[in-house]
Amino acid sequence: MVTTMKPCEHLSVCVLLVLCMAAGSVRSGNVLVWYTEGSHWINLKPVLEMLVDRGHKVTVLLPNTSLYMSTSEPSRYRYEPFNISLTMDSFDEHLQGFLHFAIYETTHMSYLQIFTKLIEQITINIELQLQYLDGLLKSPSVMAKLQEARYDVLLADPIYVGSELVAEMLDIPLVFTLRFTAAHIMERLCGQLPAPPSFVPGPLIKLTDRMSFTERLSNFLFYASQDLLATFFWKNVDEYYTEYRGKPTSLCEMMGRVDIWLIRTYWDFEFPRPFIPNFKFVGGIHCRPAKPLPQEIEEFVQSSGEDGIVVFTLGAMIKNVTMERANVIASALAQVLWRYCGEKPETLGANTRIYNWIPQNDLLGHPKTKAFITHGGTNGIYEAIYHGVPMLGIPMFADQPDNMVHMEAKGAARVLHFNTMRSLDLLDALQAIINEPSYKESVMRLSSIHHDRPLSPLHEAVFWIEFTMRNKGARHLRVQAHNLTWYQYHCLDVLLLLLAIVLLLVLLLVKSCGFCVRRCCRRTRNMEKKSKAE
Ligand SMILES: *[C@@H]1O[C@H](CO)[C@@H](O)[C@H](O)[C@H]1NC(C)=O
Ligand SMILES: *[C@@H]1O[C@H](CO)[C@@H](O)[C@H](O)[C@H]1NC(C)=O
Ligand SMILES: *[C@@H]1O[C@H](CO)[C@@H](O)[C@H](O)[C@H]1NC(C)=O
Ligand SMILES: *[C@@H]1O[C@H](CO)[C@@H](O)[C@H](O)[C@H]1NC(C)=O
């Protein structure tokens, strides 16, 4: 049969063969995964699962003090445990203290109080991070195991520092996966991601890409102040790195060696912005088509008839809210599935069900779901975009208010303030997003943007991790900006030279004009003198 093939068919056979061979050489890489926590861990898991599916060996560094990561749950990756001196209680205490401050206390505090408290919290947090790093670096047995295992790549979420140091020690490429850092500080300062303050609003600042003069001013000052703060906060880390390596080293300089940055957002959520070739935007990694619901929940959903249901969750970190707030919420809701583990509010309606856990993705993908009341975490927002469900945001802390500003600006959400909203506000807003078609249309537009790309976000993330393994890094994508000083980067030295030349020319011009004028004057004076003498 082969002999009867036309040349072009031969060609297509060849191309197919080559492709298969290229895919084959990806097989069985050895991936090391940095420890992380909370939603960051949840976000990493689908990537690890797919890496295992594709035949790679995945090893996860696991501290013995971790709220979310644990060897007890069944998984197909290997854990590399290490011990840290911190107890679980002190870690949980720190976390709960921070959450309480972020959600309830800030409303009663002045800006100065918030600021000092925040500085205190971040300082503690960095100390914690260094304790984790200590547990790893100061354990000769664990470090020896890491050296022996010959990993091909280290995959890390920079929420915990230190991966860049370990990647360098093991001499392996490093891939970062993150949603963002405060004011894009690591991305901008260490990754060289450009962020002109005139049209790229800093995260957390609750601005859109259309800024008035005063908004641009605050965005500019926001970036500048965060840069100052970061150098202050990172001093301890810099000292730690310097001591460990025995030569002057900064965190940022070490982060400059990151091969690929996988950012967990996409243009359905972000405002368009400039980026450089080793930044890949893979928002929506965890989204999946909806699976059938458990029978009991399905029956409840079906009992809503034509009206449909509303899904409500305040996220994994918020276990309970004050009874007063819970009552405000409960009395406003009609047919609602609420994920909540606090005490049952007195005003809970017969049509509201409370669950400790809900299959959120499957519920959002259910045809009867009309709206999603969310705290504004990126994961929930992405599931809502994926399934095209309009959102009502009740943001609590961290990036949540800013996330909801994005969704509101794109017309897919309404936003309420948790501490001040009344039952009536909640009801009004809910009715608006269900009954006004613009919300559904906007979120459907975002949904179609989300789905319309050459590779799914999960496949794209895995592709770049495999790419990094195949090519032993991605140095060819590293911009030369890393090797420039700040004045070279902004061409200030060039401007200075040009300015000097212009000044020199102006000076020459002025001097020569002066000279001409003086000569002219002298001649006229001489002529006058001459005519007088005559
Ligand atoms: C961690 O500590 C436990 C005892 O608390 C010990 O059995 C184990 O070997 C330690 N693991 C490492 C990696 O040092
Ligand atoms: C982790 O291991 C260290 C050393 O073995 C121990 O002091 C610490 O209490 C352990 N932490 C937890 C949460 O078990
Ligand atoms: C949440 O529950 C814990 C214990 O179950 C309690 O100590 C805490 O005060 C509650 N928080 C709020 C805001 O009610
Ligand atoms: C840029 O700096 C890095 C280290 O910071 C160095 O390894 C590299 O050789 C430099 N590249 C150039 C072209 O100077």
Side-chain angles (χ1 to χ4, degrees):
M1 272 295 137
V2 176
T3 47
T4 67
M5 268 185 178
K6 284 180 225 114
C8 60
E9 280 171 338
H10 268 298
L11 192 62
S12 63
V13 167
C14 290
V15 171
L16 270 179
L17 275 181
V18 170
L19 275 178
C20 290
M21 271 155 62
S25 73
V26 182
R27 289 282 150 198
S28 64
N30 200 359
V31 183
L32 180 63
V33 181
W34 198 246
Y35 51 90
T36 181
E37 193 58 87
S39 54
H40 297 258
W41 173 232
I42 296 168
N43 272 309
L44 209 50
K45 276 206 234 173
V47 178
L48 306 189
E49 288 293 329
M50 183 172 251
L51 284 170
V52 173
D53 283 343
R54 292 176 63 84
H56 303 294
K57 232 171 82 189
V58 173
T59 306
V60 183
L61 284 165
L62 176 73
N64 68 343
T65 307
S66 174
L67 289 177
Y68 278 78
M69 301 172 82
S70 119
T71 45
S72 57
E73 53 182 296
S75 70
R76 296 182 299 149
Y77 18 90
R78 204 173 66 81
Y79 287 100
E80 186 66 71
F82 65 97
N83 289 334
I84 66 164
S85 51
L86 196 71
T87 65
M88 201 62 124
D89 287 346
S90 60
F91 180 69
D92 202 28
E93 194 181 317
H94 165 69
L95 193 68
Q96 294 307 329
F98 178 73
L99 288 180
H100 195 264
F101 154 71
I103 299 165
Y104 295 105
E105 290 172 29
T106 49
T107 41
H108 314 296
M109 290 169 118
S110 70
Y111 274 119
L112 192 66
Q113 280 171 318
I114 294 179
F115 190 67
T116 37
K117 181 89 184 186
L118 202 61
I119 288 189
E120 185 191 304
Q121 291 287 341
I122 295 177
T123 312
I124 296 175
N125 181 275
I126 287 187
E127 263 162 35
L128 279 179
Q129 294 191 38
L130 292 181
Q131 278 190 37
Y132 275 86
L133 191 54
D134 250 356
L136 189 65
L137 292 180
K138 303 211 168 138
S139 163
S141 65
V142 179
M143 288 312 288
K145 272 194 231 164
L146 294 186
Q147 291 279 11
E148 276 160 26
R150 301 201 169 281
Y151 292 103
D152 295 312
V153 69
L154 174 56
L155 177 64
D157 185 324
I159 181 102
Y160 282 108
V161 296
S163 55
E164 49 287 325
L165 191 60
V166 170
E168 198 205 48
M169 288 171 55
L170 301 178
D171 195 21
I172 54 176
L174 178 58
V175 174
F176 265 5
T177 158
L178 69 156
R179 152 80 170 87
F180 76 108
T181 57
H184 289 317
I185 201 109
M186 288 179 180
E187 300 94 304
R188 282 186 303 120
L189 295 189
C190 317
Q192 296 295 344
L193 180 70
S198 50
F199 67 97
V200 181
L204 304 182
I205 194 171
K206 294 182 251 175
L207 292 175
T208 70
D209 56 349
R210 290 173 196 200
M211 290 179 267
S212 65
F213 176 78
T214 43
E215 285 170 340
R216 275 185 288 125
L217 179 66
S218 36
N219 196 37
F220 183 92
L221 291 177
F222 178 65
Y223 278 134
S225 59
Q226 296 293 315
D227 293 0
L228 278 179
L229 273 182
T231 40
F232 168 73
F233 284 128
W234 288 344
K235 239 181 34 226
N236 286 353
V237 185
D238 292 350
E239 275 165 20
Y240 188 99
Y241 281 19
T242 300
E243 195 187 310
Y244 194 82
R245 290 180 82 215
K247 60 180 172 188
T249 307
S250 76
L251 170 70
C252 224
E253 170 195 331
M254 293 293 281
M255 275 189 184
R257 75 187 294 292
V258 174
D259 291 278
I260 300 279
W261 297 65
L262 299 172
I263 308 290
R264 289 195 300 267
T265 54
Y266 188 61
W267 314 114
D268 46 11
F269 174 89
E270 287 283 13
F271 301 115
R273 58 168 302 158
F275 56 92
I276 51 179
N278 63 342
F279 276 74
K280 308 295 172 189
F281 293 79
V282 293
I285 278 179
H286 65 293
C287 298
R288 286 170 285 112
K291 291 202 293 279
L293 295 171
Q295 195 185 354
E296 187 246 354
I297 299 185
E298 179 66 35
E299 276 165 16
F300 177 65
V301 170
Q302 289 302 341
S303 74
S304 68
E306 282 294 292
D307 296 336
I309 62 151
V310 170
V311 180
F312 181 15
T313 168
L314 293 180
M317 301 293 250
I318 309 293
K319 297 277 187 304
N320 55 351
V321 293
T322 58
M323 189 49 87
E324 184 266 328
R325 289 285 98 195
N327 279 326
V328 165
I329 293 167
S331 58
L333 300 180
Q335 195 91 6
V336 162
L337 265 158
W338 183 1
R339 177 191 182 282
Y340 183 64
C341 13
E343 204 179 323
K344 193 171 163 183
E346 294 131 19
T347 55
L348 193 72
N351 49 6
T352 306
R353 290 264 176 104
I354 288 187
Y355 294 89
N356 279 345
W357 173 86
I358 52 174
Q360 182 170 299
N361 185 59
D362 305 334
L363 272 168
L364 289 175
H366 197 285
K368 283 220 184 297
T369 300
K370 299 285 180 216
F372 180 38
I373 310 180
T374 170
H375 60 303
T378 324
N379 285 353
I381 289 182
Y382 261 108
E383 284 167 356
I385 292 177
Y386 184 93
H387 297 294
V389 181
M391 286 162 265
L392 173 55
I394 310 180
M396 311 287 270
F397 62 96
D399 58 329
Q400 297 161 5
D402 190 61
N403 292 345
M404 287 318 302
V405 166
H406 282 233
M407 287 299 100
E408 201 177 28
K410 290 174 191 269
R414 282 277 279 267
V415 181
L416 292 172
H417 293 284
F418 178 68
N419 283 316
T420 55
M421 68 176 182
R422 296 163 305 152
S423 293
L424 194 62
D425 301 330
L426 185 55
L427 202 58
D428 279 349
L430 194 56
Q431 269 164 358
I433 60 166
I434 294 174
N435 297 328
E436 287 173 25
S438 72
Y439 292 101
K440 182 72 181 175
E441 282 160 17
S442 299
V443 79
M444 288 312 289
R445 197 182 57 242
L446 296 185
S447 190
S448 94
I449 293 169
H450 180 88
H451 289 283
D452 199 353
R453 36 181 152 168
L455 276 178
S456 82
L458 181 57
H459 281 91
E460 190 175 350
V462 168
F463 170 82
W464 284 109
I465 295 168
E466 289 181 345
F467 179 95
T468 311
M469 289 197 277
R470 277 197 299 266
N471 296 289
K472 313 225 174 321
R475 281 300 149 110
H476 67 298
L477 298 179
R478 190 174 186 270
V479 288
Q480 194 56 25
H482 288 284
N483 292 55
L484 300 181
T485 61
W486 60 273
Y487 57 86
Q488 288 172 329
Y489 183 95
H490 294 286
C491 280
L492 295 185
D493 45 355
V494 173
L495 284 178
L496 202 67
L497 177 75
L498 294 181
L499 198 68
I501 292 174
V502 170
L503 277 180
L504 202 71
L505 286 179
V506 169
L507 205 70
L508 272 177
L509 206 67
V510 169
K511 277 269 187 230
S512 49
C513 278
F515 181 69
C516 288
V517 169
R518 251 179 283 123
R519 265 190 73 165
C520 268
C521 289
R522 206 178 305 142
R523 200 179 295 162
T524 26
R525 237 180 289 134
N526 286 350
M527 268 155 67
E528 274 168 17
K529 261 189 216 157
K530 231 183 246 172
S531 57
K532 252 186 209 164
E534 275 169 15

